[in-house]
Amino acid sequence: MLITLSVNLTKIKSWDIIVDNTSSFMKQRKTKMFKKSLIALALTTASVASFAAVDIETGTEAAALNVSIEGAANMTSITAGDVVATLGAEYAVGDIITLTFSGGELDATTVPTSVTAVNATNNLNVVVGLLSASDNVVTYRVTEVKENGGAGLVSTVGAVLTVSALEFDTASVLSSAKTTVTYSAATSTDVTIDAGTMSSADMITAQKQFSVDRSADTDFDAVIDVETQRLKFESGDVVDVATITLVDDAAATDFDATAATFDVAVSGSFSHLDTDADTAGIQVAAGTFTVSSGAIAAADITADTVTIKGAAAGTLTFTIDADGAVDDATAAAVIPTVDYTATVTVDYTDAGTDGAGTGAAAGETTVVSGADIGEWTLNGSVVEVPYMPMGPNTQPFLRHTNDGSQTGDITLRYMVEGEHTSYQNGGTLVSQATPGVRNLLTEIEAALLADGYDRTAAGFKVALEITTNVPADDVKVTTGAKFINQENTDRLSIGIIGSN
C-alpha cells in the first residue's frame, strides 16, 4: 500500500489536482484503496480533518432513557432514544453496517428500512438499506454515496447516521440493568472499518424508583440496665429514635410511577409496653409511639410489629418513648433485648400501558425487607470462650460463677470451626439463674446437639459466647478439657475468663 502511494504521488504535480479531481475520481471508484489513501493524505495535509473511529451515542444525554421499574411495569414496549453514529472512515457502496443490541429484546418491525447518514461538513451523504433485523441484530448495507451540495471536502467522514424509534420489549428491558448498542462496519470483502473505543453506548437503563437510604440514618440503641433487674434503662428514662429515609427518584426516571405513599412495618418486641393484660392485643400509653410522617392506629400495634401507614417520601422519624408514660401495669415489666428491623412497602400508580400515565394501574412493591434499624442491648455480662474442643475422647468442662446477688437468664451463641463465620443462636441455657457456681456443659451439649453437633459421634471445635443478664463484674467462666485414650489422660486448661 505504501509503495503504491509512493509511486503514484510522483505522477501528481500539485495538491490542487488532488482536491479538484477528488469528486469525479471517487465517483469512478476504479481503485478504492488508492483513492481512500489520497483523500486521507489530502485532508491531513490541509489540516481540516483526519480519520477517526466511529463515535456512537444514543442521542443527547436527555434522550438516553433511565426507566422506572415500577412505573413501566405494565407498558407493552419502550421506545428508545435515537441511535446516533458519526462515521469516522470512508464508506463505499456494498459496505456493511451492523448494530448489535444487548440487554433488551428489539421489536424488529420497528427498524427503518432505509436511513441516510447526513454529512454537514464533508459533502458526501451515505445511504443505507436494511438487509436483516432480529431481536438483537440489525444489518444495513450501503446502497449509495452521494453529494449533498455542501462546500466541504469530499469525504464520508463526519456523516451522521441516525436510527430512530426503535422499540424494545418492556419485560426484557426491566429484567436487565441496561440495554446497549454496539456499532460495527466492514467492507463487502469483510475487512473491518471504522472500529474503535467509542463504538458502544447505553440506550436504556432501568432502576427501582423507590428505595431506602440508610447512609445517614440513626438507629435504636438503648441499653437495658441489669442493675435494676432490667426494669429500667441504663440512662434512666429513654426516648429512643430511629430514622428511615424513604426515597422517590421520580425526577431521575422516565415513565415514572406517581402518587406514592409508603408503609413502614417496624418489627421487634412490644408486649412489655402493654398496659392492659386483660384485653386482647396490645394497648400502649398515649405518646409511646410517635412518627414524623404517616399514622399509627391502635390496630397497627401488635406484640412484635408496629406499622406506620401513609408515610411520605423523605426522612421518617419513629420514636419509642419506652418509659415516659409508665403506669402500674408496665412498671414491673422486664424490658427485653430487641433487634429492630424495618420492612418498607410502597403503593403507587404506574405510567400505564403507553407510558403516558393514562389507564394507570395500582401497584404495590416491597422496597426493602427486614432492614436492620438498631437494637436494645444489656449492660450485663458477655463472656467469650474462643476455643472449646469436643469429641468422643474429649471431656470438656465449663464452670459458670455468678458471685453477685442478682438473678438472670444465661444464653448462648456459638461458632463451629470450619463451618461458621458468625455466631449462631444457641438459645437460653438457664432461665433466671440464681447466683452461685454451676456446670453448664450439659446445657451447652444439649444446645449443640439440637443443631446437629453430637460430640459423642464426632470431634469438632467450637467458640462460645455466654451472656448473663446480671452485672458484668459478677460473672467468671472457668473452662478447659481433658483428652482420654487407652494409655493416659492429658489436660488442657483454657483459663478463667471474665466479661468483655
Side-chain angles (χ1 to χ4, degrees), residues 220 233 236-241 270 272-273 284-291 318-326 330 340 376:
F220 292 119
F233 292 92
D237 290 348
V238 165
V239 177
D240 206 4
V241 175
F270 307 104
H272 65 289
L273 297 171
V284 297
T288 300
F289 301 131
T290 56
V291 289
F318 178 45
T319 302
I320 302 177
D321 189 348
D323 52 8
V326 170
T330 59
Y340 289 103
W376 285 356

Side-chain angles (χ1 to χ4, degrees), residues 405-425:
S405 60
Q406 194 162 305
T407 296
D409 293 348
I410 303 174
T411 58
L412 172 71
R413 296 200 305 169
Y414 69 90
M415 282 190 291
V416 174
E417 183 178 275
E419 294 196 25
H420 304 133
T421 57
S422 61
Y423 277 115
Q424 311 298 301
N425 184 16

Side-chain angles (χ1 to χ4, degrees), residues 16-94:
D16 292 334
I17 296 175
I18 296 174
V19 175
D20 292 343
N21 290 281
T22 299
S23 178
S24 61
F25 190 67
M26 288 188 69
K27 290 179 181 178
Q28 296 175 17
R29 300 187 55 77
K30 289 184 178 180
T31 312
K32 179 178 176 183
M33 295 303 292
F34 173 57
K35 175 198 70 176
K36 289 168 68 176
S37 298
L38 288 179
I39 293 173
L41 183 58
L43 291 173
T44 303
T45 303
S47 299
V48 174
S50 61
F51 285 130
V54 65
D55 184 358
I56 189 169
E57 59 185 55
T58 50
T60 63
E61 288 297 323
L65 296 178
N66 182 32
V67 175
S68 164
I69 291 176
E70 295 89 352
N74 288 313
M75 289 178 62
T76 54
S77 62
I78 294 175
T79 301
D82 294 343
V83 177
V84 180
T86 303
L87 309 186
E90 296 300 335
Y91 284 73
V93 172

